[in-house]
Structure formats: C-alpha cells, structure tokens
Amino acid sequence: MAFKIASSPHVSTTLHTNKVMQRVALCLIPGILAQVYFFGMGTLVQILIAVLTCLSAEAAIMKLRNKSIKNALSDNSALVTGILIAIAIPPLTPWWMTVIGCGFAMVIVKHLYGGLGNNIFNPAMAAYVLLLVSFPVQMTNWVAPAELAANQVGIVAAFAHIFEFTSAGLDHFRIAVDGHTMATPLDTFKTDLSMGMTSSESLQRNVFDGMTGVGWFWINLAYLAGGLIMLKLNVIRWHISTGILLAIFVCSGFGFLLNPDTHASPMLHLFSGGTMLCAFFIATDPVTAATSTRGRLLFGAIIGVLVFVIRTYGGYPDAVAFAVLLANMCAPFIDYYIRPRSYGHRAGN
C-alpha cells in the first residue's frame, strides 16, 4: 500500500482543496456585497478582471510546465487569489494595474516557487505590496463611501474609469457632499495626527462615524460574519484569527490608554481597513502560515503586533499586506522551533 507524501496545504477535513477554496470564495460574498454597496460597482469589475487574469496566468504556466491545466484550474486557488487582489485594491484602479498585480501573484509569487503548496509568500498580499510601492497614488485613490459621496459609481462609470474610456478625473467620485476630497479613515487619521491634531479632533471629520470609518465598519463586520461561517464549517481554525485580533486589541488598547490623543482606539483598528479580511481570509492561508497550534497563535500575534506598529509608527496607513508578508518569512522558523509533542511523549522525558 502506497503512502502519499504531499506539500501543504494540509486541511484536516474530508473536503478536497477545490471545495475548501470554493467555500472561502462563497464566504467572501457578504464582504464583497458590503464593498459594492459603499464603494460602487467598481469592485465587481475588478473581480472580473482579476479572476480572468489569474485563471489565464495559471493556465499558461501549467501549459509551459507540461502539467494538467484542468487540475490546476479546478482547485479554485487561482479564483480565490484573484478575488482577494480585487477586493484589496481601490475599486477604480486602472485595469492594467490589476493585470500586473495578478500576473505577478501567479507567475512570480506562486509558480516560480513550484506552484500551490510551495510558495512562501501570500500571492495576493505580495501583489498588493508590488502595486502599492510601484503606484502609490493610484493605490490610495479610494472613492467616497455611499453615505458621503456626491456621485455614485454605477457599472457604466466603473467600466469607463477602470478601462480609461473617459478623461474625467477620479475626484468626481472622491468628492463628498460637502465638497471635500475623501481619504480612507486610517489615512485621514494618520495625516491628521502628523499635522498636530488630536485623535478626538480627527474623529470629528465626516469620514468617521464617531469611532470607526463610515462604511468600513460594516464592511469589516461583513467579513467577520463570513469568517465565522468558515470557522463553523471547519474551513479554517481559530488560532491565527484569534492571535491577530487579540494582539491588535491589546496593543491598540494599551496605546490608547497611555495617550488617547495620539493613538487610535481599538475599535478603529479592528473595524477599519483590511483587519477582518486579513484575520479570516488572508493570514489563514494554510500554505504560507505556521502549522502547529501554538505556532499559529504566535503567527497571528506577530501579524497583529506588526499591523499596530506599522499603522501607528510607519509610513503607511494600513499595514495588513506588509504584516502578512513579514509573518510569512517567520513561518518556517516558527514551525522549526515550535513543534507539537510527539505521540507518547511524557512530561519530564
């Protein structure tokens, strides 16, 4: 009888990889719908572009490697990568940037290391960092949320701006009803603090709803709901998500207690930016995360601490992508030094 040895992901469930990825994609739907509601139809257009690009790149690479294209596409990993990239970037990002990011994720980050199970970095987050470093202006051009926007982003307008069929500037959708140009809550908060404002003064801006960002609270809540469904279905385990959220809560709570004028509250950290998306859908990638129980808790805690540190003291308002990639680098060391006890081990031996 043959004993099959395979690389990660090792999912302790009767589901195959394609079913696991399929359920991940389905559990992303609540968050996607929330993003579409608050930021317009551009998110759906980005998903279409990103998924098609990832599937095409996957097929092309498998063809070059003389491997089964059907098997590669049917595992749905390229589908999930495309969706994650699409919902992480601003909704009206030019189409060619989305293609570049997805191509980089699939060809360089995933297949250059041997394909699914061999990549050491999360492909979606590596693509995000590439785009952010290369095109910082475009990657920070989020539209105003629906409750504050002077102009809504319909499907026609989304296609026109994404495929650059119009010469109209993006500020048309970044202007709020009061005439001010909008920025994301975390970006606004960091900018205000750098200008000498206190946190309470910053939270009076219309982009905030008192404690968190307008729209962003509900988007994070929707991804939290999707994540809890995945936990219920045993698609993911609770350790990494708990480590991330607990570390963010403790670090931000401690900073807020020490100096509430210069630190964001735990609520702002937990329910703004990509916190919940990271905790349940990105960091829990079984290929690039730690594998043991204690290792996963430490892996999540590292991400949570890094998110807080970079958001508070770094140059970027949201730190999810950088934190995940840095933790990916630590995963092999975590697995080496934190190993589960051997079966039959006795204390004191």
Side-chain angles (χ1 to χ4, degrees), residues 115-273:
L116 182 65
N118 298 299
N119 51 289
I120 61 174
F121 295 109
N122 184 287
M125 291 300 94
Y128 181 90
V129 168
L130 170 75
L131 295 177
L132 181 61
V133 173
S134 303
F135 312 102
V137 175
Q138 292 90 335
M139 287 294 289
T140 54
N141 275 333
W142 282 83
V143 300
E147 297 178 26
L148 303 175
N151 301 286
Q152 300 296 318
V153 185
I155 189 67
V156 175
F159 267 102
H161 278 79
I162 291 172
F163 288 98
E164 302 176 321
F165 293 148
T166 177
S167 59
L170 188 59
D171 279 346
H172 182 67
F173 298 108
R174 297 186 67 230
I175 301 296
V177 291
D178 59 2
H180 289 87
T181 301
M182 301 295 297
T184 62
L186 290 173
D187 192 14
T188 299
F189 189 83
K190 180 179 283 289
T191 301
D192 287 347
L193 291 184
S194 68
M195 296 173 62
M197 296 176 63
T198 65
S199 62
S200 58
E201 290 173 340
S202 179
L203 292 177
Q204 298 304 311
R205 291 186 180 274
N206 58 0
V207 70
F208 298 102
D209 56 7
M211 288 187 296
T212 62
V214 173
W216 289 97
F217 172 81
W218 296 106
I219 291 171
N220 275 276
L221 200 63
Y223 283 123
L224 171 61
L228 294 177
I229 293 173
M230 288 203 300
L231 287 172
K232 178 67 175 179
L233 296 175
N234 292 321
V235 175
I236 60 173
R237 296 186 178 183
W238 60 269
H239 309 88
I240 294 176
S241 304
T242 301
I244 292 173
L245 299 180
L246 187 60
I248 291 177
F249 179 81
V250 171
C251 291
S252 60
F254 186 70
F256 189 71
L257 287 174
L258 282 180
N259 194 341
D261 288 336
T262 59
H263 287 79
S265 68
M267 280 292 291
L268 182 60
H269 275 288
L270 291 173
F271 290 97
S272 288

Side-chain angles (χ1 to χ4, degrees), residues 301-315:
I302 289 173
I303 293 176
V305 171
L306 288 173
V307 166
F308 168 76
V309 170
I310 298 174
R311 283 179 177 178
T312 306
Y313 306 106

